[in-house]
Amino acid sequence: EKMALFRKTQPSFLSLNWLSRPSGNCLYTKCLSYGNPLCAATTRSVTTKPAHESHLHYEELIFKPQIATPSSEPPRVAVILHGLLGSGRNWRSFTRALGAVVTSPEFHSDGRGWRFLLMDQRNHGKSAHRKHAAPHTLSTAAQDLHHTLHACTPDMLIGHSLGGKVALEYLKVLRDAQRPMPRTTWVLDSMPSVVHGDPHTARQTIDTLKKLPQPVPSRQWLGDYMRERGFAPLVIDWVATNLVEAVGEKPGGSLVWAFNVDGCEDMYNSYADNCMWEVLETPAAHSRVEIVRAEKSLPWPQDVEKKMHEVAAKSPSVRVHLLPKSGHWVQMDNPKGLIEIMAPSFQAKADRGERERH
């Protein structure tokens, strides 16, 4: 009965060999800070004049369709929201692989291509230096996204862990504003209920970071410090990606955090204290929510598993998938498997037919 909750997707068009090819159809990778990311025309040259101090920083990857007669319409848009203590750049490699698949000649697309926006959420990455006033919550994070996108709606919304709950909160913002909904929202290894305890050592990690000296002497010093306190190598490597050179330091000098630790703590508390069942139980018309559980991630409590099963059983707009051979960091642990699950939702014609059946 437990496994009946999960669906496995085996798209016939997808080959693992294709996933290994370089994404030569990526027009460019460019860091953008502001402007209107959805409504502007797609060109090779992008102006990044700040629109507002509170807008999120994002990185953009555009993939042109690899077909003989591409559409003259602008590319469709996908937004990716990272997890706690992460940043948009954590999703570059995965996005390049996914973009290569969904714009390949073998893929049944509408010929418009895809434009991926890899957001840095408030208190994270290059958005950590923007003027985002407290409180630092799921609600304010969702409003940040809404303001950055200028009330336009992406076709695809993808959120991992903390970003998964922010994505669901963003759906509430769109609903309340009576705006169109994303075609599909992907929630990756993000528990929709209240989170008890410290399942991914997030609180322990934040508590440790708050005690560290600033600036941090070196990445080696950080690794030794965290290993002595029992942190796993994957967690240490993940945290170390957020160390950047202090302003004015020479290469190899002291390092500081790219995130705002106190703000991140507030965001995690909001993530843990809030549940998203209401969003899942009342899905918008013509909009899907796809939940991905990582097989080797920490299990959900039985009551949460049961609730998720009931929601998915009642609504054709909510589905749950099991990603095999993956822990919590799904884009690194099993990127090929994740793309196999996600790619069919990028097929416009298949999506329209699926909606008509429901």
Side-chain angles (χ1 to χ4, degrees):
E1 180 180 357
K2 178 179 178 181
M3 291 307 296
L5 173 63
F6 301 107
R7 300 168 184 259
K8 289 188 177 180
T9 306
Q10 299 293 337
S12 59
F13 63 83
L14 192 62
S15 72
L16 296 185
N17 288 335
W18 171 253
L19 288 176
S20 302
R21 299 179 195 172
S23 53
N25 58 324
C26 183
L27 287 178
Y28 60 84
T29 301
K30 186 175 182 66
C31 287
L32 301 176
S33 294
Y34 320 101
N36 190 333
L38 297 187
C39 300
T42 302
T43 64
R44 287 178 178 270
S45 176
V46 179
T47 301
T48 61
K49 182 179 179 180
H52 195 279
E53 283 293 318
S54 65
H55 287 181
L56 299 173
H57 178 277
Y58 60 89
E59 183 173 332
E60 179 175 10
L61 283 77
I62 296 181
F63 296 84
K64 62 181 180 180
Q66 296 297 290
I67 58 177
T69 56
S71 171
S72 59
E73 294 292 317
R76 296 189 179 277
V77 176
V79 169
I80 299 182
L81 301 172
H82 60 80
L84 185 73
L85 304 182
S87 66
R89 68 177 184 173
N90 298 150
W91 287 83
R92 283 177 188 163
S93 296
F94 176 83
T95 301
R96 290 189 180 111
L98 176 61
V101 168
V102 301
T103 54
S104 69
E106 298 97 327
F107 193 83
H108 191 77
S109 71
D110 59 7
R112 291 176 58 178
W114 280 91
R115 186 179 190 182
F116 288 84
L117 307 181
L118 282 56
M119 295 288 173
D120 284 354
Q121 298 197 71
R122 63 165 52 209
N123 299 304
H124 293 79
K126 293 184 179 180
S127 293
H129 306 293
R130 310 306 299 167
K131 294 182 179 179
H132 295 122
H136 303 294
T137 63
L138 297 180
S139 178
T140 55
Q143 288 291 345
D144 293 340
L145 181 60
H146 187 55
H147 295 154
T148 303
L149 299 182
H150 294 260
C152 296
T153 301
D155 298 275
M156 199 72 58
L157 180 61
I158 304 165
H160 173 240
S161 194
L162 168 69
K165 273 193 173 177
V166 172
L168 293 176
E169 186 71 27
Y170 176 64
L171 297 185
K172 292 168 61 177
V173 172
L174 293 177
R175 180 191 63 191
D176 294 344
Q178 298 184 331
R179 300 292 306 176
M181 290 288 184
R183 190 169 82 191
T184 307
T185 298
W186 285 92
V187 180
L188 309 178
D189 211 46
S190 180
M191 193 184 303
S193 66
V194 171
V195 178
H196 300 287
D198 192 13
H200 297 292
T201 68
R203 294 191 191 279
Q204 181 187 0
T205 301
I206 290 173
D207 289 342
T208 299
L209 298 183
K210 291 175 70 175
K211 296 174 183 176
L212 291 176
Q214 286 291 302
V216 176
S218 68
R219 286 183 173 81
Q220 180 64 47
W221 182 92
L222 174 68
D224 294 341
Y225 182 92
M226 295 188 72
R227 272 190 295 273
E228 291 172 0
R229 285 151 183 81
F231 285 93
L234 185 60
V235 175
I236 297 172
D237 292 342
W238 159 53
V239 170
T241 62
N242 289 284
L243 283 173
V244 297
E245 291 181 357
V247 177
E249 285 285 336
K250 296 179 180 180
S254 298
L255 303 168
V256 295
W257 296 116
F259 47 65
N260 175 352
V261 179
D262 292 333
C264 290
E265 181 178 33
D266 291 345
M267 293 180 74
Y268 181 76
N269 289 337
S270 180
Y271 165 84
D273 293 343
N274 286 274
C275 72
M276 294 291 133
W277 292 125
E278 185 266 338
V279 181
L280 297 174
E281 290 172 331
T282 57
H286 308 304
S287 181
R288 283 192 171 279
V289 178
E290 307 276 2
I291 310 289
V292 174
R293 289 284 319 281
E295 181 182 38
K296 295 184 178 181
S297 187
L298 294 176
W300 290 358
Q302 288 186 353
D303 62 324
V304 178
E305 290 272 15
K306 181 180 179 181
K307 179 76 170 180
M308 191 70 257
H309 177 84
E310 293 171 349
V311 170
K314 290 178 181 178
S315 174
S317 297
V318 178
R319 297 190 299 183
V320 183
H321 309 261
L322 181 65
L323 177 61
K325 302 178 182 179
S326 176
H328 183 60
W329 286 276
V330 291
Q331 81 277 21
M332 295 186 293
D333 291 348
N334 188 1
K336 293 180 180 179
L338 184 57
I339 291 174
E340 286 182 347
I341 291 173
M342 295 179 64
S345 68
F346 285 74
Q347 290 181 300
K349 289 187 178 180
D351 183 75
R352 285 197 297 271
E354 197 166 57
R355 289 182 196 172
E356 291 170 0
R357 288 195 298 273
H358 296 296

